């Protein structure tokens, strides 16, 4: 049971708030927040985003779960975020625990702590939050007196690196499974059962992975020998959860009292993607593709604007221009725009799905400003290998059309470090940018701007490239220098990611259970905010690997054997390993796999989830 | 375009409560703009790619302070009865904003910032203070002809900005401060600077603005 309320906590916090930067991060009190009297509900859930408020508050996934949980009369969901370094120091100095924004309760008072893990470089912040809350870091050290720690999000499709710290993972879409987890917890609370009983009950829920009930054995060379369930309730693999149809859209967004990164009405117009880019984790794990209808989208946006007063709308999807009703949608948005005086952002537009008609309506929707395209690689050969088959001619035509329609600034996203990449492919990125810039100069004169955004390819679990190696940092550095040299004097702006940060992401995203001790040690060595360019340092990680006797290259720069048991093989994201392997082999032959909306290539989604599809004939699935 | 003759200027007197203590001036402007947008009133917007509702706040309140007396002006494109404006705003208010009065004002009035003359503040201390001790500190401060204070590496004379400063004691014997500071566009006194001169760091007290004083028109 919860400790007696710490009346003093809030008063003590009051005294330290004036000493920290942006104290508004730690006070809550926003429009549309839900505060329930603590004793009025049975189950208390802390929803945690392990980065600062400014970033986490706009996370749509957590906002949806907050809304779903707070609609329940017997459940209260409250929020907590990572304190910035100054607040961490102030809390530790005053010996105060991290607290929720709504009732200002220590996280240890909650029944369930639900953590969002959208990317891997957030793991040390997660540990820091547990530590600041006085919750034992390791699942094995927790008792019935501690909260249940659950985690979800895009990173947990490979849960193994953080398996030791999490009691249960929700794999896949969380809107339904969160309520099943609550139900299991409530039943257990009434039963006087042990913590093991709770874990077993959770392990029996589809889509829930309880690592404590699964044993992993290793070969002497460090690769995995076997993954075995320890309890009859546990079935492997754990299938991800999937919604047969979209949940009703959220309109009651919280409106922050201080400036945060994104302040807007956000709406997912489509989930999943059929393009099959081989590097794309989101495109593989979020299958199948499902669409919201235009009337539902427009009604939800209006309701969102009514509830918030926001002046901006953002439509989310992996590939907006692939929405089958994109033109009627944009026309509907235009009407909304003039009626409500709002701005609209429509990210993720595909180069090959542009028509002149689409350009026309887009230009009316958001005149001026910049345009973004993502060719991802510099040559046709390499774009075939990564399965983003756009010809140079198509690319130039789209770029030309962008400038002709009145945009003057074009941002181009590329990745370096792709499998089979040569220096010629890299140099071609620069040449392509120059050619496009030339076209821009010809069409709009001196106002033309081209910006190349360069990131590093990371071979991700559950993608056809999961067997591939992460490029060596020295090689990445060489490629960045080559790009800089080739672009020198060209007036093209280039930005790039820190290769060491990408390398950490590669280690963590491809890791196994043994990485828990490395993450723990790196945190003890001071690692925090690893996703922040100005905070990240590689040294705590290198020291942690060394002191744990593990070789980071084993995780990052090793091509994995096709018959190797991968650390995430017992998590089923819906796409079969055999399909991924075939696609990997196709990539080695430079063979392209067309968009699967036209024709099914049996990736595994339909065989795993066809019953679900049949049960929801209006679910908007776009599989053929 | 709406004819200018239809435009009205509305003044709201409001309190800024505890949940907005750590919301700064620019953020407060956005909160008001969004509140006005939610109200559905026929707002007057600026021109351009990113139109903003036209509004104006009287005086920036330092971070961490609450206030009983703040002023906002906004403009409507067409006239609307005051009762209706009040009802619509009331329904759209976020936690921490409390409306005290609403009135229509002359379009030709100077901007609120220009009309600002002085502000009154009340200070309460977290820890109990000895009234005699506090009075001594106040008297010592006020007896100086010039008080050089350094804020963000810039030094200025705080003394002429202090119009009034007094120790007050409530029925249970707890004492605090009342002050009236100049708040003209080019010369605005900050209570936290004054408290710093009295030897109190900003973790020792809470400040509430109790009154805005505008110039006589």
């Amino acid at each position: 049971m919860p400790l007696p309320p710490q009346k003093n906590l809030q008063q003590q916090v009051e005294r330290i708030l004036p000493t920290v930067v942006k104290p508004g991060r730690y006070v809550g009190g926003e429009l549309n927040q839900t505060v329930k009297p603590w004793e009025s509900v049975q189950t208390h859930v802390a929803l945690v985003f392990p980065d600062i408020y400014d970033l986490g508050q706009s996370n749509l996934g957590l906002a949806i779960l907050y809304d779903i949980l707070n609609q329940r009369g017997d459940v209260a969901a409250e929020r907590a975020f990572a304190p910035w370094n100054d607040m961490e120091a102030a809390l530790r100095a005053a010996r105060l625990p991290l607290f929720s924004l709504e009732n200002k309760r220590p996280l240890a008072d909650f029944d369930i702590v639900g953590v969002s893990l959208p990317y891997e470089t957030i793991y040390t912040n997660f540990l820091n939050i547990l530590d600041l809350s006085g919750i034992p870091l390791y699942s094995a050290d927790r008792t019935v007196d501690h909260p249940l720690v659950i985690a979800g999000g895009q990173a947990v499709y490979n849960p193994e690196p953080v398996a030791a710290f999490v009691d249960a993972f929700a794999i896949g879409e969380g809107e339904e499974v969160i309520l099943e987890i609550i139900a299991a917890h409530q039943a257990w609370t009434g039963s006087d059962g042990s913590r093991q009983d709770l874990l077993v009950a959770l392990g029996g829920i589809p889509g829930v992975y309880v690592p404590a009930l699964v044993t992993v054995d290793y070969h002497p060379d460090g690769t995995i020998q076997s993954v075995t369930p320890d309890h009859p309730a546990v079935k492997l693999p754990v299938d991800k959860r999937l919604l047969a149809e979209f949940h009703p859209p959220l309109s009651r967004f919280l409106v922050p009292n201080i400036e945060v990164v994104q302040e807007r009405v956000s709406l997912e117009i489509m989930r999943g993607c059929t393009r099959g880019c081989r590097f794309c984790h989101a495109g593989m794990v979020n299958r199948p593709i499902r669409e919201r209808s235009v009337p539902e989208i427009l009604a939800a946006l209006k309701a969102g604007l009514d509830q918030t007063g926001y002046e901006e709308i953002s439509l989310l999807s992996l590939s907006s221009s692939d929405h089958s009703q994109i033109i009627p949608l944009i026309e509907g948005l235009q009407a909304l725009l003039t009626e409500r005086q709002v701005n609209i952002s429509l990210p993720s537009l595909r180069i090959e799905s542009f028509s002149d008609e689409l350009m026309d309506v887009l230009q009316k929707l958001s005149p001026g400003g910049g345009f973004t395209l993502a060719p991802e690689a510099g040559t046709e050969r390499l774009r075939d290998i990564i399965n983003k088959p756009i010809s140079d001619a198509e690319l130039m035509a789209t770029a030309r059309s962008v400038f002709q329609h009145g945009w003057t600034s074009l941002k181009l996203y590329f990745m370096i470090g792709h499998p089979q990449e040569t220096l010629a492919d890299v140099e071609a990125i620069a040449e392509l940018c120059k050619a496009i810039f030339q076209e821009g100069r010809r069409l709009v004169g001196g106002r033309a701007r081209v910006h190349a955004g360069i990131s590093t390819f990371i071979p991700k679990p559950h993608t056809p490239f999961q067997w591939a190696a992460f490029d060596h940092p020295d090689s990445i550095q060489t490629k960045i220098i080559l790009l800089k040299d080739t672009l020198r004097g060209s007036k093209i702006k280039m930005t790039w990611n820190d290769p060491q940060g990408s390398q950490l992401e590669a280690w963590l995203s491809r890791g196994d259970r043994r990485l828990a001790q490395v993450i723990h040690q790196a945190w003890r060595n001071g690692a925090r905010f690893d996703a922040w360019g100005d905070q990240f340092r590689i040294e705590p990680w290198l020291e942690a690997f060394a002191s744990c006797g593990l070789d980071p290259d084993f995780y990052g720069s090793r091509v994995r054997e096709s018959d190797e048991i991968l650390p995430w093989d017992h998590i089923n994201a819906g796409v079969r390993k055999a399909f991924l392997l075939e696609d990997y082999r196709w990539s080695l032959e430079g063979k392209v796999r067309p968009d699967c909306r036209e024709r099914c290539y049996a990736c595994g989604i339909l065989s795993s989830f066809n019953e679900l599809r049949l049960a929801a004939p209006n679910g908007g699935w776009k599989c053929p | 375009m709406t004819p200018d003759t239809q435009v009205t200027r509305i003044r709201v007197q409001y309190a800024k409560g505890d949940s907005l203590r750590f919301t700064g001036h620019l953020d407060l402007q956005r909160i008001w703009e969004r509140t006005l947008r939610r109200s559905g009133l026929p707002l007057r917007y600026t021109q351009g790619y990113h139109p903003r509702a036209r509004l104006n706040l009287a005086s920036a309140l330092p971070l961490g302070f609450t206030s009983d007396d703040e002023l906002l002006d906004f403009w409507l494109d067409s006239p609307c009865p005051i009762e209706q404006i009040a009802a619509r705003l009331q329904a759209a208010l976020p936690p921490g904003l409390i409306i005290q009065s609403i009135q229509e004002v002359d379009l030709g009035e100077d901007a609120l910032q220009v009309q600002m003359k002085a502000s009154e503040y009340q200070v309460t201390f977290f820890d109990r203070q000895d009234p005699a001790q506090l009075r001594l500190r106040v008297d010592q401060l006020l007896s100086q002809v010039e008080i050089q204070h350094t804020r963000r590496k810039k030094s200025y004379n705080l003394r002429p900005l202090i119009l009034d400063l007094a120790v007050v004691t409530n029925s249970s014997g707890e004492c605090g401060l009342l002050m009236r500071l100049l708040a003209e566009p080019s010369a605005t006194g900050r209570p936290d600077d004054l408290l710093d001169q009295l030897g109190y760091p900003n973790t020792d007290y809470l400040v509430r603005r109790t009154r805005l004083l505008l110039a006589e028109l």
Side-chain angles (χ1 to χ4, degrees):
Chain A
M1 276 320 283
L3 303 163
Q6 298 201 11
K7 266 195 185 159
N8 274 330
L9 178 58
Q10 198 163 351
Q11 286 168 343
Q12 288 177 280
V13 169
E14 293 255 339
R15 306 278 308 249
I16 59 175
L17 286 177
T19 67
V20 301
V21 170
K22 275 185 113 172
R25 288 166 175 162
Y26 312 106
V27 297
E30 309 92 329
L31 179 73
N32 296 334
Q33 94 168 342
T34 304
V35 189
K36 298 182 178 179
W38 186 262
E39 304 298 343
S40 72
V41 300
Q42 183 187 349
T43 307
H44 303 91
V45 184
L47 293 176
V48 177
F49 190 93
D51 206 308
I52 54 171
Y53 176 87
D54 317 35
L55 279 174
Q57 185 44 53
S58 34
N59 182 274
L60 185 58
L62 272 189
I64 290 171
L65 294 181
Y66 185 79
D67 188 61
I68 289 175
L69 290 174
N70 278 321
Q71 280 180 24
R72 286 269 303 250
D74 56 347
V75 178
E78 307 199 359
R79 297 160 296 147
F81 299 91
W84 187 241
N85 298 323
D86 59 349
M87 183 63 168
E88 180 193 341
L91 287 173
R92 289 191 190 280
R95 300 182 164 276
L96 296 176
L98 188 65
F99 51 88
S100 66
L101 297 187
E102 279 77 4
N103 273 308
K104 315 285 187 292
R105 297 289 291 229
L107 297 197
D109 284 3
F110 285 79
D111 300 295
I112 299 174
V113 172
V115 184
S116 175
L117 298 174
Y119 39 84
E120 297 78 8
T121 43
I122 210 168
Y123 291 160
T124 51
N125 282 11
F126 165 39
L127 292 196
N128 202 38
I129 285 172
L130 290 177
D131 184 65
L132 279 167
S133 307
I135 299 171
L137 301 188
Y138 287 91
S139 171
D141 295 335
R142 292 178 203 135
T143 70
V144 287
D145 296 326
H146 295 114
L148 176 75
V149 178
I150 62 175
Q154 296 280 302
V156 310
Y157 281 102
N158 177 16
E160 293 303 277
V162 282
F165 310 123
V166 175
D167 300 323
F169 290 94
I171 309 291
E173 299 171 358
E175 291 96 329
E176 294 171 346
V177 75
I178 186 73
L179 295 176
E180 295 163 30
I181 292 172
I182 300 283
H185 190 277
Q186 292 184 340
W188 170 78
T189 307
S191 75
D192 210 26
S194 67
R195 194 166 168 88
Q196 178 73 6
D197 293 336
L198 174 60
L199 295 183
V200 168
L202 293 168
I205 299 173
V208 176
Y209 172 56
V210 179
L213 303 178
V214 173
T215 297
V216 178
D217 290 307
Y218 300 87
H219 292 296
D221 68 358
T223 59
I224 292 171
Q225 182 179 13
S226 64
V227 178
T228 335
D230 297 335
H231 194 280
V234 176
K235 288 190 188 66
L236 295 182
V238 174
D239 295 330
K240 75 166 176 183
R241 286 299 288 269
L242 190 62
L243 300 184
E245 47 195 319
F246 266 118
H247 195 76
L250 179 67
S251 57
R252 200 165 179 272
F253 293 89
L254 250 106
V255 182
N257 289 332
I258 57 167
E259 188 175 4
V260 300
V261 171
Q262 290 169 348
E263 302 178 30
R264 57 202 193 186
V265 173
S266 300
L267 179 65
E268 236 183 327
I269 59 171
M270 206 164 67
R271 201 173 272 188
C273 181
T274 51
R275 295 286 183 169
C277 302
R278 291 180 176 126
F279 55 83
C280 183
H281 182 252
M284 293 292 160
V285 303
N286 293 307
R287 292 180 174 210
I289 195 160
R290 286 146 291 163
E291 284 185 8
R292 275 194 208 279
S293 74
V294 173
E296 186 181 41
I297 293 170
L298 294 176
L301 294 177
K302 280 184 193 166
L305 293 173
D306 287 343
Q307 294 263 10
T308 60
Y310 276 150
E311 44 295 287
E312 192 180 334
I313 286 171
S314 180
L315 303 185
L316 309 179
S317 81
L318 294 172
S319 178
S320 299
S321 46
D322 282 340
H323 193 287
S324 61
Q325 303 299 313
I326 186 71
I327 302 277
L329 173 59
I330 294 178
E331 283 166 354
L333 290 173
Q334 240 165 277
L336 191 64
L337 180 141
T338 29
E339 181 191 319
R340 303 290 189 106
Q341 309 266 19
V342 288
N343 302 309
I344 295 179
S345 70
L346 187 68
S348 306
L349 298 165
R350 291 280 304 202
I351 293 160
E352 64 272 48
S353 52
F354 271 113
S355 57
D356 260 355
E357 194 187 4
L358 180 55
M359 288 275 189
D360 285 340
V361 288
L362 278 175
Q363 175 61 27
K364 279 185 218 146
L365 192 68
S366 127
F371 205 96
T372 302
L373 295 172
E376 306 291 5
T379 58
E380 292 182 1
R381 180 192 81 90
L382 196 53
R383 290 196 292 268
D384 284 351
I385 288 170
I386 65 175
N387 207 44
K388 199 160 187 186
I390 307 148
S391 69
D392 288 342
E394 266 179 307
L395 189 53
M396 286 305 292
T398 301
R400 202 172 295 130
S401 183
V402 167
F403 289 116
Q404 279 166 342
H405 277 83
W407 284 281
T408 55
S409 168
L410 181 57
K411 185 163 186 181
L412 297 164
Y413 282 119
F414 295 94
M415 272 193 271
I416 53 174
H418 287 299
Q420 305 179 64
E421 182 182 61
T422 65
L423 288 181
D425 293 309
V426 177
E427 206 173 346
I429 292 175
E431 297 304 336
L432 194 59
C433 291
K434 283 189 196 169
I436 287 173
F437 184 60
Q438 280 296 322
E439 272 309 278
R441 287 296 282 264
R442 193 174 64 77
L443 292 165
V444 299
R447 291 176 305 151
R449 297 277 177 280
V450 170
H451 176 183
I454 311 292
S455 60
T456 310
F457 164 74
I458 296 162
K460 288 277 181 161
H462 303 288
T463 68
F465 286 156
Q466 64 180 353
W467 291 275
F470 179 74
D471 203 357
H472 196 276
D474 292 345
S475 159
I476 297 166
Q477 206 56 51
T478 306
K479 290 170 182 175
I480 290 172
I481 291 168
L482 174 63
L483 282 173
K484 282 202 277 193
D485 285 349
T486 319
L487 288 175
R488 184 155 297 136
S490 70
K491 291 194 176 169
I492 293 166
K493 187 181 162 196
M494 175 182 142
T495 49
W496 62 95
N497 286 358
D498 170 21
Q500 287 187 327
S502 304
Q503 193 183 26
L504 174 65
E505 196 181 328
W507 298 335
L508 293 177
S509 65
R510 299 155 63 71
D512 55 34
R513 279 190 181 189
R514 296 173 302 171
L515 280 193
Q517 43 173 329
V518 176
I519 298 168
H520 187 192
Q521 188 57 44
W523 167 75
R524 276 196 292 224
N525 292 348
R528 307 274 190 286
F529 294 102
D530 295 304
W532 289 62
D534 60 344
Q535 300 291 314
F536 168 68
R537 290 182 305 124
I538 194 79
E539 292 76 16
W541 288 96
L542 294 176
E543 285 166 23
F545 271 103
S547 66
C548 296
L550 288 169
D551 175 12
D553 288 343
F554 173 82
Y555 297 100
S557 21
R558 182 170 63 90
V559 175
R560 304 199 183 191
E561 299 297 328
S562 59
D563 60 354
E564 185 178 330
I565 297 175
L566 302 172
W568 51 88
D569 276 353
H570 55 293
I571 303 298
N572 174 23
V575 178
R576 290 175 303 123
K577 192 176 182 184
F579 172 85
L580 295 175
L581 188 58
E582 180 189 63
D583 213 47
Y584 182 45
R585 289 186 171 136
W586 283 21
S587 84
L588 298 173
E589 299 162 21
K591 189 172 162 189
V592 162
R593 189 185 296 274
D595 189 328
C596 68
R597 265 199 228 212
E598 316 300 328
R599 163 190 160 190
C600 181
Y601 293 90
C603 72
I605 277 291
L606 283 182
S607 52
S608 291
F609 295 104
N610 207 29
E611 278 177 30
L612 199 65
R613 181 192 200 183
L614 295 173
N618 300 320
W621 289 39
K622 293 292 166 189
C623 292
Chain B
M1 205 66 237
T2 316
D4 283 354
T5 52
Q6 295 286 298
V7 175
T8 53
R9 176 173 173 181
I10 307 297
R11 179 159 302 163
V12 181
Q13 187 200 16
Y14 67 96
K16 184 183 176 193
D18 207 45
S19 58
L20 291 173
R21 260 179 71 198
F22 293 109
T23 296
H25 188 61
L26 290 177
D27 291 334
L28 184 65
Q29 274 180 341
R30 290 170 340 127
I31 284 175
W32 265 116
E33 179 168 357
R34 288 171 182 164
T35 302
L36 293 169
R37 292 173 68 101
R38 288 193 299 273
S39 75
L41 290 166
L43 303 177
R44 185 130 182 104
Y45 280 90
T46 61
Q47 304 293 305
Y49 277 151
H50 301 293
R52 309 295 305 260
R54 188 172 171 203
L55 61 88
N56 193 242
L57 298 178
S59 171
L61 190 66
L63 210 62
F65 294 15
T66 56
S67 175
D68 299 336
D69 186 18
E70 296 293 301
L71 291 173
L72 157 83
D73 279 359
F74 66 94
W75 282 258
L76 293 180
D77 254 348
S78 54
C80 189
I82 289 292
E83 304 73 50
Q84 200 184 330
I85 295 174
R88 295 249 204 133
L89 281 185
Q90 198 58 46
L93 283 179
L97 289 182
I98 304 117
I99 293 181
Q100 282 145 345
S101 68
I102 303 182
Q103 64 181 114
E104 186 178 337
V105 293
D106 198 284
L107 280 177
E109 252 190 46
D110 281 343
L112 280 169
Q113 300 97 304
V114 179
Q115 297 187 47
M116 276 296 297
K117 202 74 200 161
S119 289
E120 291 180 356
Y121 302 91
Q122 183 183 321
V123 180
T124 50
F125 294 95
F126 284 118
D127 302 321
R128 210 179 170 93
Q129 302 295 314
D130 172 24
Q133 193 71 41
L134 186 58
R135 251 179 228 109
L136 193 66
R137 291 197 200 190
V138 166
D139 291 343
Q140 276 176 354
L141 188 75
L142 292 180
S143 67
Q144 298 175 46
V145 192
E146 193 180 303
I147 307 167
Q148 279 303 319
H149 185 80
T150 307
R151 174 173 196 85
R152 294 198 178 120
K153 293 177 188 164
K154 278 186 185 162
S155 186
Y156 73 98
N157 183 7
L158 176 62
R159 186 64 189 87
L161 305 180
I162 305 172
L163 303 177
D164 214 347
L165 174 62
V167 177
V168 285
T169 309
N170 68 12
S171 51
S172 52
E174 287 164 346
C175 65
L177 293 169
L178 282 182
M179 60 181 83
R180 178 185 285 193
L181 303 180
L182 200 64
E184 288 174 354
S186 56
T188 298
R190 291 187 56 117
D192 43 350
D193 286 357
L194 192 152
L195 282 151
D196 190 45
Q197 287 292 330
L198 288 173
Y200 295 101
N202 65 354
T203 47
D204 279 7
Y205 55 80
L206 288 172
V207 183
R208 190 154 61 97
R209 176 141 71 183
T210 50
R211 202 169 153 209
L212 291 181
L213 292 105
L214 299 190
E216 304 289 321
L217 283 171

